[in-house]
Amino acid sequence: IKKSVTSINLGRKNKIRKIFHDPVSEFDSNTKRWIKTPESFNRELLNQLNTVEAYAASKDTKVSVAFIARYHFLKPDHFDDLSKTFKKYLNIIFTTMHSSKGLGFDFVFIIGMNSTFPSKRTDDEIITMFMPEPDNFEFCEERRLFYVALTRAKKAVMLFIDKEKPSPFILELSSSKYL
């Protein structure tokens, strides 16, 4: 169904920001954690949190910030420290794309936008026998999840992107008028 979407908020036009960082080096399948988080990711994360905090302080209000990722294991190791450091003006939570359905936040940081998203894993053949016929376009369920994550923000979305291996969705968005 073709839709024309317009915003009632006529403020800043570009509500989606691309934040590039160095690639994460390695994933440990035993601990389900990234072995080395790049310093540029941490630096950019802090820069964006400082910017959002300055905005909240200028309004003398507390704002909600959600870190949203495809999987739980993408939660930053220092998440609890960040939450405590910025608690005066920011209420920071971590959630997955699935869990964020129906929720709303002032600012959304989508992390893990690298070549592993969308997931290329296919469903078990036995399960697919009992499921309705899938849509015809590529990565349809992953696209829906990305859409869910993008639409959780009331004010702005920050996409944290691996600069060497960005998600194919980022490449598609970059060639559109929305980014």
Side-chain angles (χ1 to χ4, degrees):
I1 300 172
K2 193 168 187 141
K3 294 182 181 182
S4 175
V5 180
T6 57
S7 172
I8 58 170
N9 182 353
L10 301 177
R12 186 172 179 257
K13 286 188 177 188
N14 187 355
K15 299 288 186 183
I16 301 174
R17 300 177 198 153
K18 294 187 292 186
I19 317 296
F20 291 94
H21 61 80
D22 293 330
V24 175
S25 62
E26 198 175 331
F27 180 71
D28 182 352
S29 58
N30 293 326
T31 62
K32 304 261 192 270
R33 305 293 290 169
W34 292 105
I35 291 174
K36 182 174 182 253
T37 303
E39 188 55 40
S40 66
F41 173 79
N42 292 329
R43 185 176 50 254
E44 293 300 339
L45 192 62
L46 281 172
N47 285 343
Q48 293 306 310
L49 286 170
N50 283 321
T51 300
V52 172
E53 182 183 51
Y55 166 81
S58 74
K59 304 272 188 203
D60 195 29
T61 188
K62 197 161 188 163
V63 297
S64 59
V65 177
F67 288 21
I68 300 178
R70 176 66 176 92
Y71 303 105
H72 286 282
F73 65 77
L74 292 173
K75 181 178 182 179
D77 290 332
H78 57 295
F79 176 80
D80 293 334
D81 295 334
L82 290 172
S83 213
K84 290 174 190 167
T85 302
F86 291 94
K87 70 180 179 182
K88 182 174 181 183
Y89 288 108
L90 307 181
N91 181 26
I92 305 173
I93 70 148
F94 175 85
T95 187
T96 63
M97 292 179 182
H98 274 109
S99 299
S100 71
K101 289 180 184 177
L103 303 176
F105 308 95
D106 294 310
F107 296 90
V108 168
F109 292 15
I110 301 178
I111 57 179
M113 296 304 303
N114 60 30
S115 59
T116 63
F117 182 73
S119 173
K120 280 95 179 149
R121 235 177 43 181
T122 57
D123 290 331
D124 184 286
E125 288 181 26
I126 294 175
I127 292 174
T128 56
M129 287 174 35
F130 299 101
M131 299 296 288
E133 190 67 31
D135 291 323
N136 291 334
F137 54 93
E138 191 174 34
F139 305 120
C140 58
E141 184 56 29
E142 297 289 292
R143 285 178 195 280
R144 287 184 189 100
L145 283 175
F146 186 43
Y147 176 80
V148 165
L150 283 172
T151 58
R152 300 305 92 202
K154 296 175 187 172
K155 299 189 183 307
V157 175
M158 287 69 153
L159 299 169
F160 287 82
I161 304 164
D162 181 321
K163 67 182 174 187
E164 289 183 17
K165 297 178 185 172
S167 166
F169 291 163
I170 296 302
L171 301 175
E172 287 178 23
L173 272 177
S174 293
S175 64
S176 75
K177 65 180 181 180
Y178 300 108
L179 204 56

